[in-house]
Amino acid sequence: MTIHQHVCRTFRGEPFNLGALQGQVLLIVNVASRCGYTAQLGELERLYRSHRDRGLTVLAFPCNQFARQSPETALDFCAFSSSQYGVTFPVMEKVKVNGGGAHPLFVELKRKAPGVMGTGMIKWNFTKFLVARDGRVVRRFSPRESGPALESALEQALDEHFQL
């Protein structure tokens, strides 16, 4: 199964067609509202606005698995991220990213881009996965990684040519 074949839902529980994003560069992030990294929502929005015309889509999946830092519903998270950080990129359903109930998309992302020393676990909120236009998982970023390193990797992925 490719990244684009996974079944996902929006923050309202409506089906979301990942296949329609084939040819886009994706930045898939597990997010939380009460985390020390929550301010990264503003940076993610800045990146999205700067690069969406070149084919970047940021997908945010609220997750409450890390110290219960996102206890609200996905709908409430969407309202929060929009009002506090101006988020306009897609906010998806609330998911688990680890364990037996992990969303299949995150199981696939972790398999294709393991963490430090090959770990399959996501260790905290705001772990980011960069997916190339052809669906290849290019890189995994730790929650601490942002700014120039992230921007540089995005630029490189956006510059790659892809033919359907």
Side-chain angles (χ1 to χ4, degrees), residues 32-41 66-67 69 85 124-126 143:
S33 60
R34 300 177 186 176
C35 176
Y37 296 114
T38 299
Q40 285 186 22
L41 289 168
F66 305 101
Q69 293 185 340
Y85 295 97
W124 205 251
N125 303 306
F126 290 89

Side-chain angles (χ1 to χ4, degrees), residues 2 9-10 16-18 23 29 35 44 50 62 70 82 105 108 123 126 128 133 164:
T2 70
R9 297 196 172 279
T10 67
F16 185 87
N17 182 4
L18 272 178
V29 188
C35 176
L44 293 170
S50 299
S70 198
S82 175
L105 174 61
E108 183 80 5
K123 294 186 178 179
F126 290 89
K128 302 157 204 73
R133 296 179 190 275
L164 290 172

Side-chain angles (χ1 to χ4, degrees), residues 83-103:
S83 69
Q84 297 298 310
Y85 295 97
V87 166
T88 60
F89 53 78
V91 174
M92 308 303 289
E93 64 191 318
K94 193 170 186 177
V95 299
K96 290 184 177 179
V97 297
N98 289 326
H103 191 284

Side-chain angles (χ1 to χ4, degrees), residues 30 66 97-98 106 110 120-124 127 129 140:
N30 65 306
F66 305 101
V97 297
N98 289 326
F106 281 89
K110 292 184 300 182
M121 300 291 285
I122 290 177
K123 294 186 178 179
W124 205 251
T127 297
F129 293 90
R140 176 180 181 157

Side-chain angles (χ1 to χ4, degrees), residues 3 25-26 54 59 66 86 97 107 112 115 123 134 141 148 164:
I3 296 300
V25 171
L26 306 179
R54 291 180 57 206
L59 295 174
F66 305 101
V97 297
V107 171
K112 291 186 174 177
K123 294 186 178 179
D134 63 2
F141 294 89
L164 290 172

